[in-house]
Amino acid sequence: MIGAIIGDIVGSRFEFSRFKSKEFKLFHRECDYTDDTICTIATADWLLNDINLDGNEYAKILQGWCRKFPNPTGGYGGRFHTWIYDETKKPYGSFGNGSAMRVSPVGWFFPTLEKTIEVAAISARVSHDHPEGIKGAQATSAAIFLARHNKSKNQIRLAIESEFGYDLNRTVDELRPTYQYNETCQKTVPESIISFLDSTDFEDAIRNAISLGGDADTLGAITGAIAEAYYDISLQDSLAQEAMKFLTEEFVEILSMFDQNKV
């Protein structure tokens, strides 16, 4: 979970810049948390407090956090912003990458891959109920689960390709020249997983994701979430400590509680 937040904060200042380099200062005065962090905190809050894992309760919690923080850096997506204030809480058929950027707590909370994928689908469906929106959340959570269970990068690659059909046999250097800003799961989740697979350490994974020049905070969040599990980044890590300086006390409290209760 902290990996997603680090990636979000680092990527926040590059979200709309089409930045295509790995050379940059990770934390900068222009950085901040975005909707990715808010929604990730909401997911953790749901897992900590809803023992029935009810989608309606998650929708209520997610809306509550987003209403409490209505103007994050970069804003909310247009249709999601409307959904936040929709009392019917009906999903709107989205395949946007929002389902994947907020799912990282699910990857840490359950003892089996099957349960992880099941709950990831529940978390996606409250808003992003298009099959691609659901798949993006499931693939992200599955990669986190596999990474925290010490699977090799090749094992993770093969499992995600087999289960979800993503093409992960590309490199960041191959992607970067032609990759464009895209807010769909289809064009964000595979590229984020590749940014992790093609990395040498946690920081390199984040730099890979940002360097694609796309939806930088979300690419960073998804990549960071997987890289955290694989490279064993904890709340005591220096990058985690730096990221938490940008967070509210409420966010840090949920983050700490989740860290104590994850599987």
Side-chain angles (χ1 to χ4, degrees):
M1 182 176 170
I2 187 59
I5 292 172
I6 294 169
D8 175 44
I9 292 170
V10 172
S12 62
R13 67 187 176 110
F14 299 113
E15 182 175 7
F16 304 110
S17 69
R18 313 299 193 268
F19 186 79
K20 287 185 177 287
S21 172
K22 293 178 67 171
E23 301 301 320
F24 57 88
K25 186 177 181 179
L26 285 180
F27 295 102
H28 186 275
R29 58 183 174 80
E30 295 178 0
C31 290
D32 201 356
Y33 66 82
T34 78
D35 59 320
D36 297 46
T37 289
I38 296 168
C39 293
T40 298
I41 292 291
T43 304
D45 189 17
W46 171 55
L47 295 176
L48 288 169
N49 292 291
D50 179 18
I51 61 173
N52 295 317
L53 298 174
D54 179 74
N56 289 330
E57 183 63 18
Y58 176 51
K60 179 181 177 182
I61 291 171
L62 183 57
Q63 286 184 337
W65 278 99
C66 293
R67 291 177 185 183
K68 191 169 187 176
F69 296 91
N71 299 298
T73 294
Y76 295 103
R79 294 173 71 194
F80 184 74
H81 185 273
T82 299
W83 179 85
I84 291 169
Y85 297 95
D86 181 1
E87 296 299 336
T88 71
K89 302 178 180 64
K90 291 183 178 179
Y92 50 94
S94 176
F95 49 77
N97 55 29
S99 62
M101 60 82 160
R102 70 189 187 215
V103 79
S104 60
V106 176
W108 285 95
F109 210 70
F110 301 99
T112 68
L113 180 57
E114 291 74 20
K115 188 65 175 180
T116 298
I117 292 172
E118 174 191 338
V119 177
I122 295 171
S123 76
R125 287 193 187 104
V126 301
S127 54
H128 295 57
D129 59 336
H130 187 283
E132 290 290 347
I134 296 169
K135 183 170 81 170
Q138 290 180 311
T140 301
S141 66
I144 294 167
F145 180 92
L146 294 169
R148 73 180 179 86
H149 282 86
N150 302 313
K151 300 301 182 183
S152 70
K153 287 184 177 180
N154 193 50
Q155 287 174 315
I156 295 170
R157 184 197 313 273
L158 292 175
I160 299 301
E161 285 186 329
S162 174
E163 181 69 24
F164 302 104
Y166 290 141
D167 176 12
L168 303 179
N169 286 295
R170 296 168 288 166
T171 67
V172 171
D173 286 344
E174 289 170 342
L175 290 171
R176 189 182 297 111
T178 58
Y179 185 75
Q180 298 180 354
Y181 185 94
N182 194 297
E183 294 182 337
T184 68
C185 276
Q186 302 95 300
K187 295 295 293 181
T188 306
V189 175
E191 288 75 12
S192 297
I193 297 173
I194 289 168
S195 293
F196 152 68
L197 292 171
D198 202 20
S199 65
T200 57
D201 55 28
F202 178 82
E203 181 177 328
D204 189 56
I206 298 297
R207 291 186 182 280
N208 279 343
I210 305 307
S211 76
L212 291 177
D215 189 2
D217 58 327
T218 298
L219 286 160
I222 298 170
T223 301
I226 305 167
E228 170 198 356
Y230 186 83
Y231 292 115
D232 196 23
I233 301 300
S234 73
L235 292 184
Q236 285 68 50
D237 186 270
S238 60
L239 294 181
Q241 291 292 308
E242 191 67 27
M244 285 192 284
K245 294 177 183 178
F246 291 86
L247 304 181
T248 70
E249 290 184 9
E250 294 166 287
F251 291 172
V252 173
E253 182 180 356
I254 294 291
L255 185 59
S256 298
M257 289 176 58
F258 186 84
D259 190 62
Q260 295 167 18
N261 285 275
K262 66 187 182 183
V263 174

